[in-house]
Amino acid sequence: MSFSIPQTNPGANYRAHRSLIDAAVLRAMEGGWYILGEQESAFEREFATWLGVEHVVGVGSGTDALEIALRACGVAPGEGVVTVSHTAVATVAAIERAGAVPLLADIDPSRYTLSPACAGEVIVAARERGIRVSAIVPVHLYGQMADMPAIMELAGRYDLHVVEDCAQAHGAALNGRMAGTWGDAAAFSFYPTKNLGALGDGGAVATANAAVPERVRLLREYGWRERYVSSVPGMNSRLDELQAAILRVKLPHLHDENARRRAIADTYNQRLAGSALDLPFSADGAEHVYHQYVVRTPRRDEFREVLRSAGVGTLVHYPMPVHMQPAYHNRLALYSSMDATERAAREVVSLPMFPELSNEEAEYVAQSVRVAAHGGVS
Ligand SMILES: Cc1ncc(COP(=O)(O)O)c(C=O)c1O
């Protein structure tokens, strides 16, 4: 039997929920109100309950959620915001769109998330150069949370806001506490491939801080408190009714789908133990939701090519750190070495990971990966 297995498969997730999604979309279309209506406010309440946080406000994308959360927390133009370079470029783009200055720190090489020690060095170096550092954006990458106890300690020491980038971490937890409930605010993306994905763009800001939601609501719609009257300069970033209706169908399945991702990861972990690859590391007390299952090999191109010929799709998240990208490399000052980040960018590979992957397909992927890890010889 020949296989053709994509690395990610949002269409399969739609098909898994097709009849309910189609019915919900039809109802929303017939409702006659398409932006910021009943579906959207119901989704905000349901996602807040699911997360165990007081407030959720829907916005147009994860990038917007980060920008708006930073602005709503009071981060001002010209202030420094610490984050990582090993992330979707959206994290850094959103910091700049908020008018702030990204201060990039290296990652912990086993966890792929912000190194608190390096972040501390970057904060000190930036302050010595006269930059007012006001926030930190930990990115919970690949479905695993950053070292939040250490990051919260750092934030307390330097009086920083914390905005968690939860785009890849719906349902992840650390020490029993969910991603998105640690900082002042959190940004979620509902891009179609995410663990909770819409069928278009979408995002949300979650927060327990009572002052934040009102500011987010103002910023997401032209600064309107009253319709057609802008009390602050705002933007247009709204979660539409069709996406909200789809997210409401998918949300009740998210725990089970995350559990399915973990079961696939267990299969990979067992079958790949002892191979030449570095496997994902799950920190003590971490509830990993495997947005991606990422292995590491210095022979990445050859490894991916062997898998491609075996019908196994892979992707690289991410091949070029933000500080090396043409849009940024001449502009962003660096205050730390980026050795772990640059090595990760050269070596990481994401294997197929989505809840609809069958056991048989997961076994086939693992077997093909073992062969590829040994240079294509079984
Ligand atoms: C870590 C991270 N942050 C932010 C974003 C931005 O989300 P969106 O694509 O919804 O703007 C993404 C997703 O692409 C992401 O993976």
Side-chain angles (χ1 to χ4, degrees):
M1 180 172 179
S2 83
F3 286 90
S4 174
I5 304 174
Q7 195 276 330
T8 183
N9 198 347
N13 194 246
Y14 162 62
R15 287 187 290 280
H17 304 295
R18 173 186 257 150
S19 56
L20 290 176
I21 289 178
D22 289 0
V25 167
L26 260 181
R27 266 198 310 280
M29 289 198 296
E30 278 162 6
W33 185 275
Y34 302 113
I35 302 270
L36 298 187
E38 278 171 17
Q39 294 298 323
E40 204 271 343
S41 45
F43 174 69
E44 288 181 350
R45 287 193 301 276
E46 289 161 8
F47 193 47
T49 305
W50 193 88
L51 280 176
V53 78
E54 278 81 349
H55 313 279
V56 164
V57 184
V59 296
S61 70
T63 312
D64 287 355
L66 279 168
E67 175 192 346
I68 292 174
L70 286 165
R71 291 169 67 184
C73 285
V75 171
E79 292 180 350
V81 175
V82 180
T83 194
V84 282
S85 189
H86 185 63
T87 181
V89 77
T91 312
V92 178
I95 293 170
E96 287 204 324
R97 272 186 17 193
V101 179
L103 301 169
L104 303 180
D106 209 356
I107 51 169
D108 168 338
S110 52
R111 207 166 168 146
Y112 300 113
T113 56
L114 182 66
S115 152
C118 186
E121 288 164 24
V122 167
I123 293 166
V124 170
R127 281 158 57 112
E128 278 168 9
R129 285 163 184 79
I131 298 172
R132 194 181 126 75
V133 183
S134 64
I136 191 159
V137 177
V139 180
H140 304 313
L141 202 72
Y142 304 149
Q144 172 158 239
M145 288 186 60
D147 182 354
M148 288 309 285
I151 290 168
M152 295 310 290
E153 194 277 320
L154 207 56
R157 190 174 346 141
Y158 293 105
D159 194 20
L160 308 176
H161 299 291
V162 176
V163 173
E164 300 174 64
D165 183 338
C166 298
Q168 303 191 7
H170 314 70
L174 185 62
N175 304 336
R177 192 165 159 194
M178 294 268 258
T181 67
W182 289 70
D184 298 275
F188 286 86
S189 163
F190 305 122
Y191 183 77
T193 57
K194 303 302 190 206
N195 288 33
L196 179 61
L199 300 184
D201 275 313
V205 176
T207 181
N209 178 336
V212 169
E214 203 212 337
R215 277 187 243 139
V216 174
R217 287 182 202 285
L218 279 177
L219 290 168
R220 77 173 170 179
E221 196 172 37
Y222 318 126
W224 284 353
R225 191 165 276 123
E226 182 189 331
R227 205 167 177 81
Y228 306 125
V229 183
S230 296
S231 47
V232 296
M235 59 200 273
N236 169 3
S237 180
R238 303 173 292 210
L239 182 62
D240 70 63
E241 287 289 281
L242 300 190
Q243 301 309 331
I246 292 163
L247 291 166
R248 291 186 69 203
V249 170
K250 289 189 175 190
L251 180 61
H253 303 280
L254 182 52
H255 273 305
D256 287 349
E257 291 182 352
N258 282 344
R260 173 70 194 149
R261 287 171 183 269
R262 272 194 292 276
I264 295 165
D266 281 347
T267 300
Y268 289 169
N269 284 340
Q270 284 164 22
R271 303 291 183 262
L272 301 179
S275 72
L277 301 167
D278 282 347
L279 302 183
F281 161 84
S282 185
D284 276 352
E287 179 93 342
H288 200 317
V289 291
Y290 291 98
H291 174 59
Q292 303 295 353
Y293 184 96
V294 173
V295 298
R296 201 167 166 132
T297 166
R299 299 170 27 256
R300 180 168 69 194
D301 291 348
E302 188 191 337
F303 174 77
R304 293 187 71 200
E305 184 48 38
V306 174
L307 287 175
R308 201 194 55 74
S309 353
V312 174
T314 59
L315 286 172
V316 173
H317 301 96
Y318 295 93
M320 190 184 285
V322 178
H323 70 275
M324 294 170 78
Q325 307 228 359
Y328 296 93
H329 82 277
N330 283 328
R331 293 193 298 111
L332 295 188
L334 288 184
Y335 302 105
S336 98
S337 104
M338 285 289 172
D339 291 349
T341 295
E342 291 177 12
R343 194 183 141 215
R346 285 192 300 271
E347 298 184 348
V348 292
V349 188
S350 307
L351 302 185
M353 175 53 80
F354 47 92
E356 296 73 24
L357 196 71
S358 69
N359 290 344
E360 190 190 12
E361 288 170 325
E363 293 289 353
Y364 176 75
V365 170
Q367 180 197 326
S368 308
V369 167
R370 276 198 86 91
V371 172
H374 293 106
V377 185
S378 51

